[in-house]
Amino acid sequence: MTHSRTIRTSIFLLTLGFSSNMAFAQRGEIESQTYEIVKEKSIEFAPANRLFDKVQPIPGTTNEKKVSYQIIDPNINIASPKLTPTVAASSDEKARQEQPDVLNNYIKLGAGNYGRFLGEGFVSGRRGDDLVFTGQVKHLSAGNGPVDGKNSANAATNIQVGGKYIMSSYKVDGSLEYDRKNYYFYGYRPQPEGFVVNRDSIRQTVNQFGFNLGFENTDPSVAVDYSVKTSLNTLSDRYDASELDWGTTLKASVPISESFYAQLEAGAFISQRVDALTYNRNLYRVKPTFKYTSDIFTISAGVNAVNETDNQLNINKTKAYPVLNIDVNPISGVHVFAGWNGDVVRNTLKSMLAENQWLGSNVLIVNTEKTSDIFAGVKGEVAGGFNYEGKVSYTQYRNFYNFNNSLVDVSRFSIIYDPQKTKVLNISGQAGYTLNDVFKSSLKANFYDYAMGSVEEAWHRPDLTLNWFNALTISKKLFVTADFYLLNGIKAKDFQTGEVKKLPAIADLNLKIDYLLTRNFSAFVGINNLLGKEYQRYQYYPQQGLNFVGGLSFSF
């Protein structure tokens, strides 16, 4: 017990030591990557994976729409909706990508204010009915930003190629991806008149390569169902930090009877992170469960055993957590669910940068232990295209992390871990409506209450998030999407002055319009931050005001 307490205290002190002696920075994406506690299990009413479908003993009738869902243990990705998003693929483009016709491919060019440029291309093809491949290139940049012009410029380039080989008894899919982001740490304090900031000293470039390969059994006549996926990712930045991360997961399902079967999830993750020190960090997970289903309820129970190691932090421990999920279907289309579980959430440099791009050098990366997650809720679907979900969860963590401006350099962020127990209450609700393919709307709200252990506040974490998405097909030629985001209750601290600030609420409204000019050409415009507020998602980092990208798309 004393040894465990010493390790936790050492981690906390090491974090503070890094913060006071090095420049930590938090990085997000050009479009302000933010965060929400994704402890919630957002349940979609889409068809379930065959791995879990095949063993269901209760067949549905042909004229009855069956609601299928599966509780999935969530990560602690404390991330809110992405604000001021980049221009997404238009509705007509997504439809074409899903249809094997001559308009499957497109080239898109656009420009906008802040010196924005957008270039994107997508191609796909198939060889017979077995092999399908795709390729995509996208570049989005802004020559200027909200602070000192080019000192807050940014650019992002992404290249992806992938393919699927589908046979009657198995499916193989793989992909290669390269992602490059270039941006500047513009959250520095106001400079004296006439002083010129050296742009090279605040520049950051992050390069990421990824390889993914998956194999899945698709033969419905085989009793044992399984899938294997492996991925290899590398990351490097301009300050000589790098990370190599390799992970493999296995899922298997074996029916014991028509209503009772065994499932297994296993994973092995090996990573090496190099900065001032070299961290070799591994995690192995085995989660066997048994599941019983009937026409009234479903229950699954098991254990989640996790081993994690870290050579620099002298960590080598194995823990077991309960896995219990219950679902009751009292009436058609309504599910009442509850559960209790725990896990060790892998934190990597890549995952931290995905939440916050302004991280400084030599940030400490430690896994977060979800010691207990107890949740309950109700979800359902009613006639007319409505679906809903309400849920309450109470979760306890160790090494719960948050971000705040560094003591040495406020333009760069440190990661602060709470080595003692952090308790988080989450109350969430969501509702959706679909009217054929004409109109889709979804509304989701989350309330969070944080009871920190030894850390003063949950810095830069909102206590309320709301996002509302709408898509409207006005005609066969005109498509409109709109989304609204609200974040409130974000607190930050300036460790140099000791001042604690509550950042103003963030309200962000975005609009996208696509118009088909001809069968091959379409025009688009995406307007972000329609309210024009240069809000600060992270302290000292105001975002761009109203910004837009417009252009043409050619399909072939």
Side-chain angles (χ1 to χ4, degrees):
M1 187 73 176
T2 303
H3 179 66
S4 176
R5 187 180 296 111
T6 301
I7 290 177
R8 293 198 300 271
T9 304
S10 299
I11 291 174
F12 183 55
L13 292 176
L14 181 57
T15 304
L16 294 181
F18 271 125
S19 299
S20 60
N21 293 296
M22 301 180 191
F24 288 148
Q26 137 191 34
R27 346 174 170 189
E29 290 211 16
I30 297 164
E31 58 270 6
S32 158
Q33 189 95 7
T34 59
Y35 55 57
E36 120 195 359
I37 289 191
V38 180
K39 287 178 343 48
E40 83 229 12
K41 299 163 188 64
S42 176
I43 312 288
E44 302 280 338
F45 288 95
N49 187 292
R50 195 187 66 85
L51 184 67
F52 299 93
D53 264 350
K54 190 175 68 175
V55 290
Q56 297 292 340
I58 308 300
T61 59
T62 56
N63 57 358
E64 180 179 322
K65 186 173 183 180
K66 183 178 180 180
V67 177
S68 62
Y69 93 71
Q70 170 197 353
I71 295 177
I72 300 175
D73 290 341
N75 287 336
I76 180 189
N77 180 18
I78 310 273
S80 314
K82 184 181 291 186
L83 303 179
T84 55
T86 58
V87 179
S90 64
S91 302
D92 61 303
E93 286 164 359
K94 290 182 178 179
R96 284 196 293 268
Q97 292 178 30
E98 296 172 355
Q99 297 175 0
D101 59 29
V102 293
L103 298 183
N104 225 13
N105 313 312
Y106 67 85
I107 297 174
K108 176 190 289 186
L109 293 174
N113 62 342
Y114 289 98
R116 284 180 174 265
F117 171 76
L118 170 68
E120 185 176 357
F122 177 87
V123 294
S124 66
R126 65 174 63 236
R127 183 177 179 182
D129 295 330
D130 302 330
L131 180 62
V132 179
F133 62 87
T134 61
Q136 185 170 12
V137 178
K138 182 176 181 179
H139 175 84
L140 178 65
S141 60
N144 300 289
V147 175
D148 292 345
K150 292 183 178 181
N151 283 6
S152 52
N154 56 69
T157 302
N158 181 267
I159 303 173
Q160 299 180 43
V161 293
K164 293 182 180 181
Y165 185 65
I166 305 172
M167 299 296 290
S168 59
S169 58
Y170 64 89
K171 178 180 72 174
V172 179
D173 60 85
S175 65
L176 288 170
E177 181 176 6
Y178 168 68
D179 189 80
R180 182 182 188 274
K181 291 183 175 63
N182 186 81
Y183 53 94
Y184 297 84
F185 294 107
Y186 63 87
Y188 47 79
R189 297 191 187 279
Q191 302 298 310
E193 185 176 354
F195 181 83
V196 178
V197 176
N198 182 357
R199 294 184 69 221
D200 194 61
S201 68
I202 61 173
R203 180 180 173 183
Q204 174 64 295
T205 302
V206 179
N207 291 286
Q208 297 184 52
F209 292 89
F211 167 74
N212 299 280
L213 182 65
F215 181 86
E216 181 179 346
N217 166 41
T218 59
D219 187 351
S221 64
V222 177
V224 179
D225 212 355
Y226 60 88
S227 68
V228 181
K229 293 184 179 180
T230 188
S231 61
L232 179 66
N233 294 281
T234 66
L235 179 148
S236 62
D237 74 358
R238 199 165 181 267
Y239 297 91
D240 298 324
S242 65
E243 183 177 67
L244 175 67
D245 189 36
W246 178 32
T248 301
T249 58
L250 165 69
K251 293 184 179 181
S253 174
V254 181
I256 299 174
S257 68
E258 286 189 350
S259 58
F260 186 59
Y261 55 97
Q263 290 182 320
L264 174 66
E265 292 185 30
F269 304 90
I270 300 171
S271 63
Q272 183 182 76
R273 182 265 180 110
V274 179
D275 218 317
L277 301 173
T278 297
Y279 296 83
N280 293 308
R281 309 173 63 237
N282 303 325
L283 185 142
Y284 306 95
R285 178 185 291 112
V286 177
K287 185 164 67 173
T289 58
F290 292 92
K291 187 172 185 179
Y292 176 81
T293 64
S294 71
D295 55 350
I296 300 297
F297 70 93
T298 299
I299 181 170
S300 62
V303 63
N304 182 20
V306 183
N307 169 259
E308 61 170 326
T309 65
D310 189 309
N311 69 321
Q312 290 291 346
L313 299 178
N314 196 26
I315 295 174
N316 187 350
K317 59 184 179 181
T318 303
K319 290 194 174 183
Y321 306 93
V323 178
L324 178 63
N325 295 313
I326 301 172
D327 170 64
V328 180
N329 183 204
I331 58 176
S332 177
V334 176
H335 288 262
V336 179
F337 60 90
W340 176 34
N341 60 59
D343 202 357
V344 174
V345 180
R346 292 184 70 238
N347 295 324
T348 63
L349 183 58
K350 178 184 177 181
S351 69
M352 291 298 188
L353 290 176
E355 290 193 37
N356 188 337
Q357 72 179 7
W358 314 113
L359 294 179
S361 303
N362 299 296
V363 289
L364 181 66
I365 306 293
V366 180
N367 292 331
T368 297
E369 182 184 2
K370 184 173 65 173
T371 58
S372 175
D373 182 10
I374 301 173
F375 61 90
V378 60
K379 55 176 289 175
E381 190 174 78
V382 296
F386 289 95
N387 62 75
Y388 61 89
E389 176 183 319
K391 185 171 66 66
V392 177
S393 66
Y394 181 73
T395 310
Q396 297 186 60
Y397 296 98
R398 274 199 173 90
N399 291 334
F400 184 80
Y401 64 87
N402 53 79
F403 304 100
N404 201 72
N405 306 76
S406 170
L407 172 64
V408 175
D409 183 354
V410 296
S411 70
R412 315 202 179 201
F413 278 66
S414 61
I415 306 173
I416 300 177
Y417 298 89
D418 189 348
Q420 297 183 11
K421 280 190 177 181
T422 300
K423 301 173 183 178
V424 181
L425 173 67
N426 173 217
I427 302 174
S428 65
Q430 64 184 58
Y433 174 70
T434 301
L435 178 62
N436 299 323
D437 292 328
V438 176
F439 178 67
K440 296 180 181 179
S441 180
S442 64
L443 178 66
K444 186 176 185 178
N446 284 275
F447 167 78
Y448 306 106
D449 179 69
Y450 309 95
M452 305 300 292
S454 57
V455 177
E456 185 179 355
E457 292 281 355
W459 304 119
H460 284 94
R461 293 188 183 278
D463 60 20
L464 175 67
T465 67
L466 182 146
N467 59 297
W468 185 22
F469 172 80
N470 298 276
L472 176 64
T473 302
I474 298 177
S475 68
K476 292 183 178 181
K477 291 187 175 184
L478 183 60
F479 310 92
V480 179
T481 60
D483 48 69
F484 174 76
Y485 300 109
L486 175 68
L487 284 81
N488 188 50
I490 300 173
K491 293 182 180 180
K493 186 173 184 176
D494 188 323
F495 285 120
Q496 293 184 355
T497 64
E499 182 183 7
V500 175
K501 294 181 182 179
K502 183 176 181 180
L503 302 184
I506 296 172
D508 192 300
L509 178 62
N510 309 297
L511 180 68
K512 175 96 188 308
I513 301 173
D514 292 277
Y515 185 77
L516 294 179
L517 301 172
T518 67
R519 186 170 183 269
N520 299 96
F521 286 95
S522 63
F524 68 90
V525 60
I527 307 174
N528 298 318
N529 198 357
L530 272 166
L531 302 179
K533 302 294 184 180
E534 292 188 353
Y535 54 79
Q536 294 185 37
R537 177 56 189 87
Y538 296 108
Q539 185 173 227
Y540 306 132
Y541 276 92
Q543 300 301 301
Q544 293 177 348
L546 188 150
N547 60 90
F548 63 87
V549 174
L552 293 174
S553 178
F554 173 70
S555 302
F556 57 96

